[in-house]
Amino acid sequence: MSTEKYRPTARIKEFAEVSAGGVCSAPGCTSPLQELDHTVPWPKGKTNAAQIKGYCVHHHHQKHANHAVTLDPDGTLHWVTPQGRRYTSQPYQY
């Protein structure tokens, strides 16, 4: 499930939604998933199931504005705020 294109396939979208449990991937957020985004900006970050994460609108904008977000191979996200605070979120556990 990967592609060289910017837009994720339907299967990649479905995987991102399931791995997020239907809620925002930002640490502590329980808002419904509203937008999908590459963790590492495309084209440097590939469009694949591991790389695409779901966010609420607020956290999607924060990610692009002033928060640093990195991704571990196991799907764990690490967020660093502009103040240097660090937060971690993991894929939804079924």
Side-chain angles (χ1 to χ4, degrees):
M1 287 195 302
S2 68
T3 179
E4 295 296 321
K5 298 179 181 180
Y6 175 76
R7 301 252 182 245
T9 64
R11 293 188 77 190
I12 291 172
K13 288 179 184 179
E14 183 179 9
F15 181 85
E17 292 167 3
V18 168
S19 70
V23 297
C24 179
S25 295
C29 186
T30 58
S31 295
L33 189 144
Q34 297 166 315
E35 300 178 355
L36 298 176
D37 191 31
H38 294 80
T39 303
V40 177
W42 191 86
K44 186 176 180 183
K46 299 297 180 195
T47 303
N48 61 41
Q51 227 297 48
I52 301 293
K53 297 294 180 185
Y55 302 100
C56 65
V57 173
H58 172 75
H59 284 110
H60 186 195
H61 288 227
Q62 276 192 324
K63 178 184 168 289
H64 287 285
N66 56 9
H67 286 62
V69 181
T70 58
L71 178 66
D72 288 347
D74 69 355
T76 300
L77 286 173
H78 301 278
W79 288 63
V80 181
T81 68
Q83 297 81 19
R85 293 186 184 108
R86 298 178 182 278
Y87 300 93
T88 300
S89 65
Q90 296 179 327
Y92 186 78
Q93 300 296 312
Y94 285 93

